Amino acid sequence: MSNIKDKVVIIMGASSGIGEATTKKLAQEGAKLVIAARREDRLKALVELLPNAEISYAVADVTNKEEVQAVVDLAMEKYGRVDVLYNNAGVMSTAPLSETRFDEWRQMLDINIMGVLNGISAVLPIMKKQQSGQIIATDSVAGHVVYPGSAVYCGTKFAVRAIMEGLRQEERENNIRSTIISPGAVSTELYTTINTPEDREWVKNLMESGEGFSLKPSDIADAVAYAISTPESVAVSEILIRPTKQVV
């Protein structure tokens, strides 16, 4: 994937799971990386794991637009450009609407939607000036289908899908590409953000069911790398990727 080498890539939500796997994949392909997340110890460990990579990290909460802007500023200070922003941070809470879990709803709205918008707003002026760039977001199968107990989570992912399509339409003349990666079940720590014990245990067991029932984070990293590696004249708008045995 020679088109990745020397590209300046920012990864938000890089400390574990898909973000961590994507960091490793893009480092292997020679990207210049700026990674961010809330857990500094995880970021430090990841940087130390990649001694030959050109990589920097910053602690940031995607719900804080000033912290997101600081990550983008760091990339600009080091490299003078941003080729790719990958908005990967997210949470998943499940419960029927009748339980009115306002705090969980607000958290999902703030992280899953506003986190993406904060990233877009920080890099868009740079990419418009460059007349090039790519913004990627981790969406979900839940951004394409709705299922009981996850109406708000699905709503946040449908919103990301709509926002990213709007971004594509608005910025195509500026040569800015938008991509959503929509995974099914992936073996990550995302299930730990589920606050309903029985739902959390069910998803945990699914993650441990083996090949065909859940994807590996590296599977998604490969999809991200593919989207980045395509020529600027090619816009990969959506990648929907499921475990072979997944029903939904």
Side-chain angles (χ1 to χ4, degrees):
M1 296 185 179
S2 58
N3 286 342
I4 294 176
K5 184 173 173 55
D6 292 329
K7 280 193 173 181
V8 178
V9 182
I10 298 171
I11 302 177
M12 307 300 296
S15 61
S16 65
I18 293 170
E20 179 183 6
T22 303
T23 299
K24 292 175 180 177
K25 175 67 176 179
L26 298 185
Q28 179 185 343
E29 298 294 336
K32 298 175 179 178
L33 297 167
V34 176
I35 62 174
R38 291 177 297 177
R39 297 176 290 187
E40 186 172 14
D41 58 332
R42 294 284 193 95
L43 294 171
K44 280 184 176 179
L46 184 53
V47 170
E48 289 169 1
L49 195 64
L50 301 167
N52 298 320
E54 191 164 353
I55 181 169
S56 303
Y57 79 85
V59 177
D61 183 334
V62 296
T63 67
N64 185 314
K65 60 183 175 56
E66 287 79 16
E67 292 183 5
V68 173
Q69 184 65 58
V71 176
V72 175
D73 291 346
L74 173 62
M76 288 297 290
E77 288 167 13
K78 287 186 68 69
Y79 302 112
R81 70 180 196 277
V82 177
D83 297 310
V84 181
L85 168 68
Y86 181 21
N87 283 311
N88 174 62
V91 293
M92 177 176 67
S93 298
T94 63
L97 290 168
S98 60
E99 293 189 9
T100 58
R101 298 191 181 187
F102 290 103
D103 290 343
E104 292 181 15
W105 296 348
R106 174 58 63 187
Q107 183 189 43
M108 283 192 285
L109 292 169
D110 286 345
I111 295 175
N112 295 358
I113 300 176
M114 287 308 302
V116 169
L117 289 170
N118 287 339
I120 291 171
S121 68
V123 298
L124 202 51
I126 295 165
M127 291 182 174
K128 289 179 76 167
K129 186 176 180 180
Q130 293 172 168
Q131 285 293 288
S132 68
Q134 183 174 19
I135 299 173
I136 303 172
T138 300
D139 201 72
S140 172
V141 168
H144 300 257
V145 298
V146 180
Y147 44 90
S150 295
V152 178
Y153 177 67
C154 292
T156 65
K157 292 303 185 178
F158 267 78
V160 169
R161 186 176 165 205
I163 289 164
M164 293 295 285
E165 171 58 14
L167 176 66
R168 183 194 71 79
Q169 294 181 22
E170 291 176 10
E171 299 299 336
R172 59 188 176 81
E173 294 292 344
N174 290 314
N175 205 35
I176 297 170
R177 301 182 291 164
S178 74
T179 303
I180 60 170
I181 310 292
S182 297
V186 186
S187 295
T188 70
E189 297 175 8
L190 183 62
Y191 77 90
T192 64
T193 66
I194 300 173
N195 293 320
T196 305
E198 57 270 25
D199 288 350
R200 186 169 60 248
E201 189 64 23
W202 182 84
V203 174
K204 180 175 182 287
N205 291 335
L206 178 65
M207 299 298 97
E208 296 172 352
S209 295
E211 189 173 342
F213 290 96
S214 67
L215 300 165
K216 301 185 294 295
S218 60
D219 296 326
I220 312 307
D222 288 343
V224 175
Y226 165 72
I228 294 173
S229 71
T230 56
E232 285 195 359
S233 58
V234 176
V236 179
S237 300
E238 299 185 8
I239 298 178
L240 183 59
I241 176 171
R242 293 179 173 94
T244 301
K245 297 178 182 178
Q246 179 167 316
V247 175
V248 177

